[in-house]
Every structure is written in C-alpha cells, then in structure tokens.
Amino acid sequence: MNLILIKQSEIQSTSSTASSQTEEQHQVVLLTSKDERAKHIANHLNKKSGETVSIGIIGGHKGKAIVQHQNGGGIRLEIQADTLFATPDEPEITLILAVPFPMRIKALWPVISSFSAVTRIVIVKGQLSNPEFNATKNLLPEVYTSLIEKGMMQGGRTRQVKVDVCVSDDDTVSKELLDKLGLLCKSDDNNVYDGIARVFLDCGDETTMPTPARDVVIEHCGRIASTASPSAIIAVGPERGWTAEEAALFVNECGFESATLGNSILRVDTAVIASLGVVSAALDECHRERVREEGNDAKRQRMSE
C-alpha cells in the first residue's frame, strides 16, 4: 500500500477544546485491529503514535493523517485538513476485457486498478469466451470492489474505477452494446481521430503486423485539442482470442485501430498488464508535453504584454 484509502463514510467529526478555550473540529477514522490498513500501518510501515501517514479519500483528496495507536491494536487516524489537496487532471483509460478464466480475473482486478489512468473496466462476453466463466462470483461487486481498492492503494490513487459487467445472454459484443456503453467513436463520419485512441490488440499473422500500440496512442494524442487530457480505450480478447467477425466489428464499425505489443502470443493477463503499461506511458508522455506547451504559451503571452 502506497496510500491508505479511506471511504467518506468512515470519516467521523470530533471536537476538542484548545488552550484558548476555542473548540476545534477534527476528522478522524477508526481502524480496528483486524483491518488490513491498520496492520499495514503498524507492521509494514512501522508507524508510531504521533507520526504521519499518507491517506486518500476515495473519489476525493489526498493528504496526511496523524497515527494514534489504540488499546486492542486498533489505530485512530486524525486527518490533517491543511495537508489535503486535489489531484490534478490525468489521462484516462477504459479497458474492455473479454471475460477470462475466473481466477485470472480475480488476480487482475487489483493489478488493473493500480494503473492510475484506468478509470473504467468493461467486462464483455467474446464469441470464444467460455460460457461457464460468465457465472463466476469474481464478477460480482462484493468480490471485486475490495480488490479494486487494494489496487488503488498500491497505485497511490483516489480516482474511482467504474466497472461494467456485460456477460448476460443479451450482451454479445456488438456495435449496439458499445454504443450503449458510450464507447463508440463520436464523430459523425466515424473518424478514428475523435480524440480517443481506440486500441484493438492484435498480434497479427505471418504476413501482416499491426501498428505498435504506442504509435497508435501518440498519433491520436497529436490530433486532440491542447486543453483536453489524452485518453484511450483498449480492447483485449479472451484466451482463444477475438474472432475475425469481432475484429471487423471493432476496427471497421466502431473506430478502433488494430495495434500490437510485438510478435509474441501473450496470455490474457500478460496482454492486459503489458498493454496498460505501454498505453499509460504513451498517454503520460503526451500529457507532459501538453503541460509543457501550455506553460510555454503562457510564458510567451506574459512576455508579449
């Protein structure tokens, strides 16, 4: 854990009387001895009473909290209001993933959510997905919510991750489904340069090799408005891959571009992690360049006044 995540509902308001007899308000969080966050603070971070720890409020600010050990092994965190700050705008990634092996998706939830750019995970039913996987409990909120929060703490992020699970009998991969999910290209002429890099992972064949995923993202970033944060959608197929029909759907009808991570044929979990790493790095590169350009424009404007 690189950040102790706190739910807004866990925050309690308390008051104390200072030496000046004025009443001070404090925001505190009480963690029981069985809470994994308390164990991490005490046993891994080795924080003593009076020391501070980095905290984040889910969907909100980051900051510091003072640690106070309680009888019975619990920990009281007193949030330091003057340390709270809002996180800046960041790139965004939506991951479309055809449902993989149940244990594989369970292991992937925290890994995917540790990438700070990932804001949405869409689980779909590919034509070659095993129908038995659709009923796994690992696709239920009561299973994946805590795993996603674990990944968020590892990634040091507070921005929430939205999850859409579309594996019912009616939820076949289609243009209509992607439209319902808001993932289609918004341009009237289906121009793939609408500002979102849509990456359809494809390892190619003996005669053709798609464009490297990084190049697809960089090209799209160069075509969006300078004020917009770069974003991407990545589509990763199931263990047996996408069908030719699904590939044509994504690329020819939905504004995606075939992209590769190289010649290797990867397992689903490896492809997910590798693609998120490559695309995240490319988006970060574009975002930093845009921030530099905005800074240079502001400097030139001040000099001309």
Side-chain angles (χ1 to χ4, degrees), residues 205-247:
D205 54 32
E206 294 82 0
T207 59
T208 60
M209 179 63 68
T211 305
R214 178 187 180 280
D215 294 351
V216 171
V217 176
I218 294 296
E219 182 179 5
H220 281 263
C221 286
R223 294 174 177 264
I224 65 175
S226 60
T227 56
S229 293
S231 60
I233 304 172
I234 308 171
V236 182
E239 274 78 7
R240 296 169 61 195
W242 299 110
T243 64
E245 180 183 351
E246 289 171 322

Side-chain angles (χ1 to χ4, degrees), residues 175 184-196 198 253-255:
K175 186 174 182 179
L184 280 185
C185 190
K186 294 181 180 179
S187 175
D188 292 338
D189 59 0
N190 202 31
N191 181 354
V192 295
Y193 300 115
D194 69 340
I196 301 175
R198 290 174 173 80
E253 299 183 40
C254 299

Side-chain angles (χ1 to χ4, degrees), residues 32-76:
T32 68
S33 60
K34 295 181 180 180
D35 194 302
E36 290 298 323
R37 294 169 294 179
K39 295 177 182 178
H40 184 76
I41 293 170
N43 303 326
H44 183 74
L45 299 179
N46 296 316
K47 292 293 184 178
K48 310 299 182 185
S49 291
E51 295 182 336
T52 61
V53 67
S54 296
I55 59 99
I57 301 170
I58 294 178
H61 292 40
K62 294 181 182 179
K64 297 288 185 180
I66 296 176
V67 174
Q68 291 293 336
H69 288 269
Q70 306 291 294
N71 292 333
I75 286 180
R76 178 181 186 269

Side-chain angles (χ1 to χ4, degrees), residues 134-179:
N134 300 334
T136 175
K137 64 180 182 180
N138 294 330
L139 294 178
L140 299 176
E142 52 264 37
V143 173
Y144 65 67
T145 299
S146 62
L147 295 173
I148 286 176
E149 291 174 357
K150 181 178 180 181
M152 291 172 63
M153 287 190 277
Q154 176 61 36
R157 57 176 294 182
T158 61
R159 190 164 54 166
Q160 292 176 292
V161 180
K162 180 182 179 182
V163 176
D164 296 285
V165 177
C166 306
V167 295
S168 69
D169 292 339
D170 298 329
D171 288 330
T172 55
V173 175
S174 64
K175 186 174 182 179
E176 290 71 27
L177 176 62
L178 295 182
D179 186 28

